[in-house]
Amino acid sequence: MQTTMRLQSIFKLYQKALVRRPYLVQAVQTGTLMGAGDIISQTIIEKKLIKELDYKRTLQFSSIGLFVGGPALRFWYGLLNHHIGSSGKSVTIKKVFIDQLVFAPAFLFLILSAVGTMQGKPWDIVKKDIHANYCDVLKTNYYIWPWVQIVNFYYVPLQYQVLLVQIVALFWNTYLSWKTNRKQLLE
């Protein structure tokens, strides 16, 4: 009972902060969940011990969420809501179609570019990494995200859409972290 009340209190604080500073709150939650995805990638997929974690890598991945991912998602969902609408089956289908046709390819390119840049790679190496990974990442995106976005755009109010996406993205970010660091692991 006490735990439930605490969770309700935390959620109310979250709601208030979200109303006052939506971009900041969603940027912080995105950065946090991207960092968590990197830690999951390092510990579970790459089988590193906690003492072997590359915290610089985690901070870099987290920074991409904080400064790029969270603000971009919040802006994009607001734009879709404003220009396409906020509810209904046809609105949902239009949003998912535009999201996956326009935003997903551009956003994935931006994320892959940002990861390579944050890793300190020269642009010619970043381009090679993008060339090697982009199609595979985009294809994997199309297996997962249209379904998530149908639920997100149909059932979830705008202020919680980034949160839902970032909860699912915890697993997506684990995949992206593994995919974008795979070559370094093989070297």
Side-chain angles (χ1 to χ4, degrees):
M1 182 96 160
Q2 240 180 2
T3 305
T4 304
M5 291 176 70
R6 284 186 185 155
L7 288 175
Q8 288 175 338
S9 297
I10 291 169
F11 188 67
K12 284 182 182 181
L13 286 172
Y14 171 76
Q15 287 177 310
K16 287 179 184 177
L18 194 54
V19 168
R20 278 185 271 145
R21 305 235 188 257
Y23 281 92
L24 177 63
V25 170
Q26 292 171 342
V28 169
Q29 80 190 15
T30 302
T32 301
L33 290 168
M34 283 188 76
D38 180 69
I39 290 171
I40 291 168
S41 175
Q42 289 188 57
T43 56
I44 295 175
I45 296 172
E46 299 164 33
K47 307 217 183 299
K48 290 183 179 178
L49 298 173
I50 296 292
K51 64 182 179 183
E52 299 171 328
L53 288 181
D54 181 349
Y55 290 106
K56 180 180 176 190
R57 174 181 134 181
T58 301
L59 184 60
Q60 290 169 339
F61 208 66
S62 202
S63 295
I64 294 167
L66 179 66
F67 297 110
V68 178
L73 288 168
R74 177 63 178 97
F75 175 78
W76 176 245
Y77 293 159
L79 194 68
L80 286 176
N81 231 42
H82 179 72
H83 290 287
I84 297 176
S86 61
S87 63
K89 290 177 185 174
S90 65
V91 166
T92 299
I93 298 303
K94 288 176 193 173
K95 282 182 170 182
V96 171
F97 182 76
I98 292 169
D99 182 65
Q100 293 302 301
L101 186 69
V102 176
F103 187 76
F107 188 67
L108 289 174
F109 180 83
L110 179 65
I111 293 295
L112 293 175
S113 300
V115 167
T117 302
M118 294 290 282
Q119 290 172 340
K121 295 178 180 177
W123 180 243
D124 61 318
I125 302 297
V126 172
K127 285 193 320 192
K128 285 180 186 175
D129 287 351
I130 290 170
H131 182 73
N133 292 319
Y134 182 78
C135 288
D136 190 39
V137 170
L138 185 61
K139 186 168 61 171
T140 304
N141 167 85
Y142 288 137
Y143 287 122
I144 299 165
W145 288 107
W147 307 107
V148 171
Q149 293 296 45
I150 287 170
V151 170
N152 197 30
F153 294 141
Y154 192 73
Y155 294 107
V156 179
L158 176 63
Q159 69 267 27
Y160 302 119
Q161 288 177 355
V162 173
L163 178 61
L164 173 70
V165 164
Q166 287 308 314
I167 290 169
V168 174
L170 180 60
F171 303 101
W172 177 251
N173 295 333
T174 301
Y175 164 74
L176 282 179
S177 177
W178 168 78
K179 188 76 173 167
T180 57
N181 288 285
R182 192 174 68 182
K183 276 189 176 174
Q184 289 179 327
L185 300 172
L186 299 174
E187 293 173 354

